[in-house]
Amino acid sequence: MPDSSTGSTARPSRRAVLAATAGVTTALASAGTVHAATGPSAHDDRRLRALISRMTLEEKVGQLFVMRVYGHSATDPDQADIDANLDEIGVRTAAELLAKYRVGGIIYFAWAHNTRAPHQIADLSNGIQKASLGLPRGLPVLISTDQEHGIVARVGEPATLFPGAMAVGAGGSRSDARTLGRVAGRELRALGIRQNYSPVADVNVNPANPVIGVRSFGSDPGSVARLVTAEVEGYESSGVASTAKHFPGHGDTHTDSHAELPYIHHTREQWGELDAPPFRAAVDAGIDSIMTAHIVVPALDPAEDPATLSRPILTGILREELGYDGVVVTDSLGMEGVRTKYGDDRVPVLALKAGVDQLLNPPSLDIAWNAVLNAVREGELTEERLDESILRVLRLKSRLGLFKDPYVSRAGVDRAVGTRSHLATADRITERTTTLLVNEGGLLPLSRRSRPRLLVAGADPASPSGTTGPPTGVLADALTGLGFTATALSTGTAPSAATIAQAVAAAGDADAIVVGTYNVSAASSQKTLVEQLLATGKPVVAVAIRNPYDVAHLPGVAAYVATYSWTDVELRAAARVIAGKVDPRGTLPVPVQRADDPARVLYPVGHGLTY
C-alpha cells in the first residue's frame, strides 16, 4: 500500500489499518455526529470503556499526551527534522513517536514544518492516522493546532485566513463570528485537523497585556461571551472541536506566561463578573474542550498554584461550579509559567490530579510520560483516574467521527481549502472590522485623482504565519491595485534617526503619506517618525497594525485607522477603506486611554467613524 504521508494521492485502505479496532469502530461509527452538549449515550460509553479495558497501562498514559513532532511527513521527514526529533523526543519520525509513546494527539506548528501546503498537510494527517491505527490496539489520533486567525495561525495561505479576535470584536457581528468558525473549521477538517485551540475567551482589560491583547475579542465580558458562543457554534457545525482558552482568564496580566508566571489579583467577585462569563457561555454552548492558563489567581486558589495545576480551579470551579464535563487540555507544558514552581516531572502528575485530561507539548515527553507512569505504579495516581480522562478524550474522538473515518483526501482539500467563496467571505467579514478612529477635515477617503502618489512607511514586524508581508509592501501593493501609485519604505518598529530622515526625504515626492504603527509608546522612535512626517506638511494617514492604543500617543495625526493585525486580509481591507472602496464600519471593542492620564478615556468602547 502506498504511504500517503509521502505524497500519494490515494487514501490509505481502511480495511488494513482498522483491523485492530474493527469491533469497536463499527459500533462507534454511528456516534460520529453526537454533540458534546447532548452527552454520550450509555451504549457508546460501554463500547469506549471496553476499549479502555483492553489497553496496557503504557497505552493509557500515552493517550493523555498531545505532542509536537517535526517534519512534513509521518515517515519520511527531512534530515533536519529527523535530527530535531532525535534531539527533543528521541525518535526519528511521527510514526516512531506513536509507536514508542502511543500518544493520543499530535499538534501541528508551522515552525515544526508540519504545515507547508494543503496537500502535504492532508498527507501528513493520513500518515499519522495510518501509523497509529496500524499498531496493536491502535487508535485514531486527535490532531490539533492553534488557528486563532489574526496574529496566531499555523496554517497559512493558500488556506483562508480571517481577521483575528479583536478585529471580529470590532465588527461585533455574531453572524460573522459563526461564519468564521464554520468556514475555518471546514478547512481544518479537510486537512485532517479535528481540534482547534480557539476561540480565545479571555477578556482583555489590560492594555499592557503582552500575551493576549488583540487575540481577545475585547474588554466587555458580555460581548466576548456572545462572540465566543457564535464561533463555537460555527466550529461545531463544521465537525471540528473548538477550545475556549485560557481558563480561568488571562486577560488582565502584565507578564507573559511563556516567560514567567503571571498573577491576577481579581477578587472572587471580580472574576465572576469579568473573567467567567465567556467560559460559562462556552460551556452552555457545548464547547468540546477548554484550555488552562499558566497563571496564579490567589482569590481562586490560596495555595497560589498555577491554574493548570490547581484542583480548586479545575475541579472545584470548572467541573463542579460550571458543570463542565468535556475535555480539559493544558496550555503548552513547555511554557515557563507552569515550570516555575515545580519540576517537569511533577507538572504532568499535578495537572492530572487537578483535573486535566490532555497534557500538551511537554518539553521532554520522556520525562513527562514516565512521571505519569511511575505515579500510577507508586499509587499517587490511580489507573481509574487515567481511565476517566481517557474516556473523555475517546468520547471526543468518537463525536468528531475519527472512529468512523479518520482519513482525508486531496480531492476534499481542493473542495474546501482556500476556495474562491471562502476567500471572498473572509474579505467581506474583514471589511466590517476596520475601524476609523480619527478623520479630521474629512481627509479620508483619499482621492486617487488629487493625491495619486503615496508613500507607505512604517513598522514591518515579521508577518504572522502564512501571510506574505511585509505590512508596508502589502499596503502599498493593495493601494496601487486601487489606482494609486504607492511606494513602500520599511522604517521598522524602532526607526533610527537616519531612517527617519530617509522617510522624510521620500515624503517630498508624495501627495500623501500612509504610515503603519506598531505598539507605540511615549518613548518610541515611531512617535518621532510620525511627528517628523507630519512636519513635512503632507497629509498623514496612520494605521495601527496591532494594538489600537497607538492613537493616544499621536494626537497630531488627522486620520487614524485600526486594523488589529498586520495579516494580508486585514491590510487589504484597510487599503479599501483608505481608498473609499468600502466604508469603515468597525467600532472599538476596547477603550483607548489618554496617554497623559491613563485614568481617563480618550475613545470609549463603541467609538468608530464612517464616511
Side-chain angles (χ1 to χ4, degrees), residues 175-363:
S175 176
D176 284 350
R178 190 180 299 107
T179 299
L180 185 159
R182 176 178 55 79
V183 172
R186 184 184 177 205
E187 296 200 7
L188 289 175
R189 186 178 175 96
L191 298 170
I193 300 169
R194 304 286 182 102
Q195 185 180 26
N196 189 20
Y197 298 135
S198 186
V200 172
D202 304 314
V203 180
N204 197 76
V205 295
N206 187 344
N209 193 323
V211 66
I212 303 301
V214 295
R215 296 168 62 196
S216 164
F217 288 111
S219 63
D220 177 69
S223 297
V224 173
R226 286 188 290 273
L227 293 172
V228 164
T229 298
E231 201 165 295
V232 168
E233 291 168 350
Y235 280 110
E236 286 173 356
S237 70
S238 72
V240 166
S242 54
T243 308
K245 62 187 187 186
H246 309 78
F247 189 82
H250 210 317
D252 195 11
T253 58
H254 61 273
T255 53
D256 186 344
S257 54
H258 290 84
E260 53 188 307
L261 179 58
Y263 276 66
I264 291 183
H265 294 288
H266 291 176
T267 66
R268 186 67 163 77
E269 292 72 22
Q270 287 172 326
W271 175 82
E273 294 174 359
L274 179 65
D275 302 289
F279 292 102
R280 289 186 187 276
V283 171
D284 290 344
I287 188 79
D288 286 303
S289 49
I290 290 179
M291 180 178 284
T292 67
H294 305 325
I295 58 173
V296 171
V297 188
L300 304 185
D301 183 358
E304 299 191 6
D305 279 330
T308 298
L309 312 181
S310 169
R311 186 168 179 83
I313 291 175
L314 298 187
T315 296
I317 295 177
L318 181 56
R319 296 286 192 207
E320 296 172 358
E321 182 179 320
L322 299 189
Y324 179 65
D325 193 37
V327 170
V328 174
V329 56
T330 70
D331 205 342
S332 172
L333 297 183
M335 294 165 61
E336 288 302 317
V338 78
R339 304 173 74 191
T340 299
K341 191 172 180 180
Y342 302 99
D344 290 341
D345 59 334
R346 295 299 300 153
V347 165
V349 175
L350 294 174
L352 290 169
K353 293 176 76 172
V356 158
D357 302 305
Q358 288 184 307
L359 301 161
L360 177 62
N361 203 26

Side-chain angles (χ1 to χ4, degrees), residues 246-552:
H246 309 78
F247 189 82
H250 210 317
D252 195 11
T253 58
H254 61 273
T255 53
D256 186 344
S257 54
H258 290 84
E260 53 188 307
L261 179 58
Y263 276 66
I264 291 183
H265 294 288
H266 291 176
T267 66
R268 186 67 163 77
E269 292 72 22
Q270 287 172 326
W271 175 82
E273 294 174 359
L274 179 65
D275 302 289
F279 292 102
R280 289 186 187 276
V283 171
D284 290 344
I287 188 79
D288 286 303
S289 49
I290 290 179
M291 180 178 284
T292 67
H294 305 325
I295 58 173
V296 171
V297 188
L300 304 185
D301 183 358
E304 299 191 6
D305 279 330
T308 298
L309 312 181
S310 169
R311 186 168 179 83
I313 291 175
L314 298 187
T315 296
I317 295 177
L318 181 56
R319 296 286 192 207
E320 296 172 358
E321 182 179 320
L322 299 189
Y324 179 65
D325 193 37
V327 170
V328 174
V329 56
T330 70
D331 205 342
S332 172
L333 297 183
M335 294 165 61
E336 288 302 317
V338 78
R339 304 173 74 191
T340 299
K341 191 172 180 180
Y342 302 99
D344 290 341
D345 59 334
R346 295 299 300 153
V347 165
V349 175
L350 294 174
L352 290 169
K353 293 176 76 172
V356 158
D357 302 305
Q358 288 184 307
L359 301 161
L360 177 62
N361 203 26
S364 169
L365 179 58
D366 191 63
I367 289 174
W369 188 90
N370 278 293
V372 175
L373 184 67
N374 291 332
V376 177
R377 288 175 172 168
E378 295 169 5
E380 184 177 6
L381 286 171
T382 66
E383 200 163 343
E384 290 74 22
R385 170 65 192 89
L386 269 57
D387 293 351
E388 178 185 325
S389 286
I390 294 166
L391 180 60
R392 290 194 185 99
V393 172
L394 294 185
R395 283 173 181 165
L396 180 54
K397 291 181 179 183
S398 177
R399 283 196 296 271
L400 297 173
L402 282 167
F403 286 100
K404 182 179 181 180
D405 189 357
Y407 296 111
V408 294
S409 68
R410 287 189 169 194
V413 170
D414 294 338
R415 286 192 298 269
V417 178
T419 64
R420 183 176 299 178
S421 64
H422 286 181
L423 295 172
T425 296
D427 282 337
R428 288 195 301 272
I429 288 175
T430 310
E431 287 173 354
R432 295 191 277 269
T433 71
T434 308
T435 307
L436 180 60
L437 300 175
V438 179
N439 194 23
E440 294 180 3
L443 174 58
L444 294 182
L446 292 179
S447 168
R448 64 186 182 190
R449 295 180 181 84
S450 59
R451 296 188 172 100
R453 297 173 300 171
L454 303 180
L455 171 66
V456 180
D460 269 339
S463 292
S465 297
T467 61
T468 56
T472 53
V474 174
L475 265 175
D477 288 346
L479 288 164
T480 297
L482 293 168
F484 296 91
T485 301
T487 302
L489 175 63
S490 174
T491 51
T493 55
S496 65
T499 299
I500 292 171
Q502 181 185 7
V504 168
D509 295 327
D511 300 307
I513 303 163
V514 177
V515 57
T517 67
Y518 181 93
N519 295 1
V520 175
S521 66
S524 172
S525 58
Q526 291 183 67
K527 188 172 185 289
T528 305
L529 167 69
V530 175
E531 289 170 346
Q532 293 200 21
L533 290 174
L534 285 167
T536 66
K538 300 294 178 72
V540 175
V541 178
V543 181
I545 63 173
R546 185 166 181 163
N547 291 330
Y549 312 115
D550 294 2
V551 64

Side-chain angles (χ1 to χ4, degrees), residues 95-146:
E96 290 184 11
L97 167 68
L98 290 159
K100 182 174 182 179
Y101 291 104
R102 305 300 289 262
V103 295
I106 287 179
I107 179 172
Y108 285 172
F109 292 105
W111 51 259
H113 310 139
N114 305 138
T115 57
R116 292 179 177 176
H119 285 171
Q120 168 269 316
I121 299 170
D123 290 343
L124 173 61
S125 298
N126 284 342
I128 286 170
Q129 300 296 358
K130 175 186 173 184
S132 183
L133 288 164
L135 296 168
R137 296 170 302 281
L139 294 170
V141 178
L142 185 54
I143 298 172
S144 60
T145 198
D146 291 285

